Amino acid sequence: AMVYARYWLSVLLKRISGHLRYLVKLDTNVQMHHVLFQPSFLLELVVCGLHVPPYVTFEIVTYSFENLIAYRAETMGVIFNTLRLYLILRSVRDYILSRIPMRYTIASYSNATFGSSFAFKKVMQGWMAVWVVLIMWFVSMALAGYWFRAAELSACAIPDIQLSEACMTDSARWWSVGGTSFEKTNDLYIWNAMWFMFVTSSTVGYGDLEATTNFGQ
């Protein structure tokens, strides 16, 4: 409902802007099909609407470098749900733009658009840009670290759960990557996953951690 309301308001504001700038006849009757047939609305509806139902779980079995790995459905669902973090950026953008006085009047007279690019340019001024870059870097490392950890964890190595028949095979327990054979264990935690993202993004690359799955790479 909130996504629909936002797009409904965007259609109405676009009509008001066209009326003020080009004297187009104002029609405030926004029908449902004016919103539902927008590709961006349908995409956002998928991103914000899809989720794994409660108490529903299954394993997605695939092969990575000829090694069997199983992902839990809820793990993949959470990774997909992290795409919704763009809603936070939208809220920050709206807050930044709300502090500009008479922005709609200025936009009408100057034929300018006060959108995401304008808000980004506004915060990238002076010393504030340093804090913005640091915050974006930290959030990116945390998010990428979570994705990396989820990509490297195998459901076959989770203790005290009912495993599928595929997890009983040797290729699920004993892995071989780069000519090195080892027993697959879930020994990657969020903090060393973030450390891996830090040394990778800073181009240091100590080599103490490495990706062992296609998804992780």
Side-chain angles (χ1 to χ4, degrees):
M2 294 180 63
V3 175
Y4 177 85
R6 178 191 177 276
Y7 277 86
W8 185 91
L9 287 173
S10 66
V11 173
L12 182 60
L13 286 175
K14 187 178 295 184
R15 293 181 180 182
I16 295 175
S17 178
H19 173 70
L20 295 176
R21 293 183 181 183
Y22 311 110
L23 300 180
V24 178
K25 184 179 178 180
L26 180 60
D27 181 14
T28 58
N29 185 20
V30 180
Q31 299 292 332
M32 183 177 294
H33 65 272
H34 295 148
V35 176
L36 297 181
F37 290 162
Q38 297 186 50
S40 56
F41 169 77
L42 297 176
L43 178 61
E44 193 163 349
L45 196 64
V46 171
V47 173
C48 295
L50 286 183
H51 67 281
V52 179
Y55 307 109
V56 174
T57 182
F58 55 89
E59 295 171 357
I60 304 173
V61 180
T62 183
Y63 282 88
S64 179
F65 302 113
E66 299 182 355
N67 304 312
L68 189 144
I69 184 171
Y71 294 110
R72 304 286 287 188
E74 54 269 32
T75 301
M76 304 304 293
V78 170
I79 292 177
F80 179 79
N81 291 154
T82 56
L83 298 176
R84 301 177 187 177
L85 291 176
Y86 77 93
L87 296 172
I88 299 178
L89 296 177
R90 179 181 290 170
S91 300
V92 173
R93 179 203 63 187
D94 293 342
Y95 171 75
I96 295 172
L97 296 179
S98 66
R99 302 185 65 182
I100 302 176
M102 302 178 64
R103 65 183 184 278
Y104 291 112
T105 303
I106 298 174
S108 299
Y109 281 101
S110 62
N111 199 24
T113 302
F114 290 85
S116 302
S117 59
F118 181 87
F120 182 74
K121 293 177 182 178
K122 184 172 178 59
V123 298
M124 295 298 290
Q125 295 179 356
W127 283 102
M128 183 181 294
V130 178
W131 292 105
V132 171
V133 171
L134 290 176
I135 292 174
M136 292 176 60
W137 188 23
F138 178 79
V139 173
S140 299
M141 286 190 300
L143 186 60
Y146 179 81
W147 287 346
F148 177 66
R149 179 177 181 269
E152 293 293 307
L153 296 184
S154 176
C156 296
I158 299 178
D160 302 328
I161 65 170
Q162 185 177 0
L163 302 176
S164 62
E165 294 182 0
C167 291
M168 303 301 178
T169 60
D170 291 338
S171 60
R173 181 180 179 183
W174 295 99
W175 282 26
S176 178
V177 177
T180 302
S181 299
F182 56 93
E183 184 178 2
K184 174 60 179 175
T185 57
N186 293 332
D187 57 349
L188 184 65
Y189 300 95
I190 187 62
W191 295 116
N192 50 357
M194 289 179 60
W195 167 255
F196 177 76
M197 291 297 110
F198 171 75
V199 297
T200 302
S201 61
S202 59
T203 69
V204 177
Y206 289 117
D208 52 343
L209 294 173
E210 61 179 352
T212 59
T213 63
N214 292 324
F215 189 18
Q217 289 189 351

